Amino acid sequence: MGGRHARALRLGAAALGAILALSACRSPSPTERPPQRSVRTDAFALWPEETPTEAAQAARRLAAGRDPWRGDPVATALAFAREVLGWEAAAAGSAREQPGGLTVVEVSREPGGPSVSVRLSRLVADRWWSVYNAWGSPEHDPSVAVRGSRVTVRFAMEDAASALVVVEFGEVRRSAIVRRPGPVRLDLGAVPAEPGFFLVLLRDRAGRVFDAVSSPLAPGPTAAG
């Protein structure tokens, strides 16, 4: 399952365990990517592509027969659960249409285990599915504020032993691992000019994701939640 975001968001248990062992309670870790031309537009999607430009590039690859699972919403939701949430034994229900052109698939970590609602839409050439957001069952909705180059994410830790917070706009990605409640503040280094997303993964003491909240974000100033 190719694509820059599939690689960027893949969180293997061993790799994340090493990160947690080496991290302080709150440890932002900026990672820059080679600059590309920025095109301002509205919020787009969470995964595998987060901008219309990336979606147009993916359309050519998908039209050539790559990643046939993108043609099915349930298969796309399961791929997201495996690649991003680390749920190798994920199970999915049937796809259900929702208002606003979205389709929702309930995905559980394992049969009877914790689950999230994965919302999808045909955002690539009106043919192939993308994950618009994923939402579990947090006690309180998160809030995200983008002011200039600074992003602040607030969310409930629930019973999580740790949480991974990821914010990405185009080629700029910031992340932090937290182990206690409190706002997470990340500096992008520049005002975002491309769409992006935020993603919060809540993990238990064994390092397994049990809940997630996420949303695509528009470029520029944002206040949500």
Side-chain angles (χ1 to χ4, degrees):
M1 298 172 187
R4 176 171 62 84
H5 292 91
R7 293 192 299 272
L9 291 177
R10 187 176 291 116
L11 303 172
L16 186 61
I19 293 172
L20 287 171
L22 294 173
S23 298
C25 289
R26 180 167 285 112
S27 54
S29 54
T31 302
E32 294 289 353
R33 295 181 180 144
Q36 293 184 354
R37 184 178 178 183
S38 296
V39 179
R40 184 181 178 87
T41 185
D42 293 331
F44 186 69
L46 171 65
W47 186 87
E49 302 86 27
E50 73 190 59
T51 71
T53 299
E54 292 173 355
Q57 295 169 349
R60 294 191 289 271
R61 184 183 74 252
L62 296 171
R66 297 287 300 276
D67 299 334
W69 49 272
R70 293 289 297 276
D72 179 75
V74 174
T76 302
L78 283 171
F80 170 81
R82 289 191 293 266
E83 296 288 341
V84 179
L85 306 183
W87 292 358
E88 294 297 334
S94 58
R96 295 180 288 109
E97 292 186 3
Q98 286 193 323
L102 294 176
T103 293
V104 64
V105 177
E106 294 293 330
V107 180
S108 58
R109 190 174 67 191
E110 63 272 333
S115 64
V116 297
S117 299
V118 180
R119 293 176 179 82
L120 308 100
S121 186
R122 286 191 180 97
L123 295 176
V124 179
D126 296 322
R127 178 179 171 185
W128 292 285
W129 294 92
S130 299
V131 174
Y132 182 78
N133 72 3
W135 204 275
S137 55
E139 296 178 1
H140 305 285
D141 289 346
S143 66
V144 180
V146 182
R147 296 183 176 88
S149 66
R150 299 181 182 277
V151 182
T152 302
V153 183
R154 291 180 170 86
F155 61 95
M157 285 290 289
E158 303 181 44
D159 296 324
S162 65
L164 175 65
V165 182
V166 179
V167 175
E168 185 170 320
F169 285 92
E171 297 300 324
V172 179
R173 171 187 169 94
R174 299 288 185 268
S175 64
I177 296 171
V178 299
R179 292 194 179 93
R180 60 181 180 229
V184 178
R185 296 181 174 88
L186 303 170
D187 193 340
L188 302 171
V191 178
E194 291 185 291
F197 65 84
F198 85 90
L199 172 68
V200 177
L201 300 180
L202 300 179
R203 306 181 71 93
D204 60 23
R205 293 187 181 279
R208 301 186 302 168
V209 173
F210 69 87
D211 208 347
V213 290
S214 63
S215 179
L217 298 171
T222 300

